[in-house]
Amino acid sequence: MIVLDEIGKIKLYSKKFKRLIKEILDLSRSVLATIGKIKNDFVEEVKCREDVVIFELTLRNRDEVFERIVEILEGGI
């Protein structure tokens, strides 16, 4: 598993960073990443991938989201 914290606004100015993110997402590995709430073409491209599942994490749903992520990682999409 690869963990990325965070795909955020400042890092998106780097072409090298964006290229690396694409390479990581194309690997046959699980990737867990946080993405800032920003409007950006690259972020939208990542969010629209067929192999991406998005959760909006809040204090109220964090336990449920954690359990769902574990399910997905164990192969129960």
Side-chain angles (χ1 to χ4, degrees):
M1 170 187 273
I2 298 171
V3 178
L4 301 171
D5 181 43
E6 132 190 31
I7 301 173
K9 187 176 181 179
I10 299 299
K11 295 173 186 160
L12 294 174
Y13 287 108
S14 168
K15 290 179 183 177
K16 185 176 181 179
F17 176 78
K18 291 190 285 188
R19 186 174 56 249
L20 181 61
I21 295 299
K22 285 183 178 184
E23 289 175 13
I24 289 170
L25 291 173
D26 288 338
L27 295 173
S28 297
R29 295 197 134 153
S30 296
V31 177
L32 178 65
T34 60
I35 302 175
K37 281 190 157 185
I38 53 178
K39 299 215 182 242
N40 176 282
D41 290 340
F42 179 77
V43 170
E44 292 307 313
E45 180 182 332
V46 169
K47 288 178 167 182
C48 289
R49 290 175 56 111
E50 289 185 19
D51 58 348
V52 168
V53 178
I54 297 176
F55 298 98
E56 184 172 351
L57 189 61
T58 67
L59 287 175
R60 295 184 90 171
N61 73 358
R62 65 183 179 187
D63 294 333
E64 179 184 319
V65 168
F66 173 77
E67 291 172 13
R68 184 65 183 119
I69 290 169
V70 170
E71 284 177 16
I72 290 169
L73 292 174
E74 290 177 340
I77 292 180

